[in-house]
Amino acid sequence: MKKRALTAVALGAAFALTLAGCAPGGNSANGGSEGSGDEAVTLKVWSWQAQSSPQWNKIFDAYEKDNPGVTIEFEGFQPTEYNQILATGLEGRDGPDVAMLRAYGGLQNAVAAGQLLPVGDKITGLDQIAPSVMAAATGKADGLVYGVPFATQTLQMIYNKTLFEKEGLKAPKTWEEFISLNDSLLEKQITPMALGAREDWVLPIFADIMGSARYGGSEFEAAVLDGSQNFNDPNYVASLQVVKDMQKYLDKDVMAVGVADSALQFTSGKAAQYPGGSFDLKTFKEGAPDTEFGVYQVPPPPGSVLDHPVTPAYADGSFGVNKQSKKQEASLKLLQWMTTKDFGQQVSNQIGQFSPLPGVTYEDKLLQEMWDLYEENPAPYLLLINFRYGDPSGTTVLGTNIQKMFLGESTPAEVADALQVGVSAWFTPSK
């Protein structure tokens, strides 16, 4: 029995987004060329999901069981460090054979550098995955597919259902009920919403949870991409005003609150709601196992383009093959398995994330509810999906400028203008 490599960081790492078993083995794990038949082969798989390393190891244990002679060495890194670690690893000789790849714009540097193996013509079954999800694993310039998507994330309002029931509160169905709920929480001296605004990356998420219906969701996405509208549009500016108006319901020192702090505020019951992602659910349940959580879509504010609430979502990433790997045949076989319902179901059961593969079910009732809400009223996480392909990225510009707005240094119109100017440096509408 060969012991699998430990994760690269302590598993007790703080809240991470964006979150060692034994297996039949054979010869040396790292050296040599690819094996075949009864000859052993070890594949190094890298990921940014250090917190979920034990669960990923269980998933790959199943693959090893069905593929005698194959050993998977899974290595999980902190998400904030992963991009640089992967870039360095793909340049050298000691990199992974298979790597978890960032989605959309986050994939493009590795593609441009020629570090990844195109897999679109080598893997069957990719056509069962929605084209909008496959776009996350596709090179922008060459149109080639470089990975097998493994998860989709949704964005919504998560709430402490135990606390709501104790205080006689319920999830809102209208904007008026939403405002009344938050006012009631303030009166009870409970922080209505936990938000880690010290870290700019969470603020575009907050903006879409609060304002996607206000600016038009998928309709606005199509108009911005074809150039008939831009981020100076009055409806988009109005959605940012909604974000500003919500500041009264956040921690009074929200700009000093980090993401880990906001998660602790929520799981400890000091804050009643958390505008976040499906990726947060596992952390919350582990942090507060005796608390029941619920989820809802924020109702459309007055004047909204859409007359219904929406759930923004995005493809989280994919698994691809290092072009320098000497074990490409075995690596591609592993990716082929990742197109099966078996793999997708294990991602659901072990990682607690949505699989892009058809037929996967969700044992967790709240996870299933999140997915049902998304399927009923989907919307794109606009800036991540479409505006991370250049510098500056849309999420970075919006995040830092919402911080300025919260500090009183900028208005919603100025935030929108900064976003439009920023993305115009590299984005050209399709029309």
Side-chain angles (χ1 to χ4, degrees), residues 160 260 262-271 274 283-288 291 293:
N160 185 326
S262 65
L264 184 58
Q265 285 179 339
F266 181 56
T267 54
S268 67
K270 293 180 179 179
Y274 193 97
T283 299
F284 294 157
K285 291 195 169 186
E286 290 175 351
T291 299
F293 297 102

Side-chain angles (χ1 to χ4, degrees), residues 182-381:
N182 288 293
D183 286 339
S184 295
L185 287 164
L186 282 181
E187 291 173 5
K188 296 173 184 292
Q189 297 186 332
I190 301 170
T191 301
M193 292 180 277
L195 186 69
R198 188 177 70 204
E199 299 175 41
D200 61 63
W201 66 269
V202 304
L203 295 172
I205 291 175
F206 183 56
D208 259 19
I209 291 172
M210 297 307 309
S212 183
R214 179 65 186 85
Y215 68 70
S218 298
E219 294 179 14
F220 182 73
E221 175 192 38
V224 169
L225 294 180
D226 70 18
S228 58
Q229 289 178 277
N230 62 34
F231 292 107
N232 294 123
D233 181 84
N235 285 310
Y236 192 80
V237 174
S239 77
L240 295 175
Q241 182 64 57
V242 172
V243 173
K244 174 61 178 173
D245 292 344
M246 291 302 102
Q247 189 173 356
K248 66 183 287 189
Y249 300 124
L250 306 174
D251 189 291
K252 61 183 178 61
D253 297 316
V254 67
M255 287 303 299
V257 179
V259 171
D261 303 322
S262 65
L264 184 58
Q265 285 179 339
F266 181 56
T267 54
S268 67
K270 293 180 179 179
Q273 302 169 107
Y274 193 97
S278 50
F279 51 83
D280 292 313
L281 187 57
K282 183 173 180 288
T283 299
F284 294 157
K285 291 195 169 186
E286 290 175 351
D290 297 327
T291 299
E292 184 178 2
F293 297 102
V295 63
Y296 67 86
Q297 298 168 313
V298 174
S304 291
V305 174
L306 303 181
D307 62 2
H308 57 271
V310 296
T311 294
Y314 63 97
D316 196 17
S318 65
F319 280 100
V321 177
N322 183 351
K323 199 169 185 179
Q324 294 196 60
S325 171
K326 298 185 186 314
K327 305 166 186 177
Q328 290 185 5
E329 182 180 343
S331 296
L332 287 167
K333 185 177 179 182
L334 177 62
L335 260 66
Q336 185 63 65
W337 176 65
M338 292 178 179
T339 69
T340 66
K341 181 182 174 182
D342 175 49
F343 174 75
Q345 192 62 58
Q346 292 201 54
V347 169
S348 165
N349 296 346
Q350 296 291 343
I351 312 299
Q353 295 183 354
F354 301 118
S355 169
L357 297 166
V360 174
T361 58
Y362 303 103
E363 296 176 346
D364 187 296
K365 292 182 179 179
L366 187 54
L367 201 65
Q368 183 66 59
E369 184 178 353
M370 289 177 172
W371 188 248
D372 290 343
L373 288 172
Y374 168 68
E375 288 199 309
E376 181 181 350
N377 294 308
Y381 177 21

Side-chain angles (χ1 to χ4, degrees), residues 395-420:
T395 50
T396 298
V397 175
L398 184 61
T400 56
N401 279 276
I402 289 178
Q403 285 178 327
K404 291 180 181 179
M405 185 171 69
F406 280 172
L407 290 169
E409 299 172 358
S410 188
T411 67
E414 289 170 337
V415 173
D417 188 58
L419 177 58
Q420 180 59 33

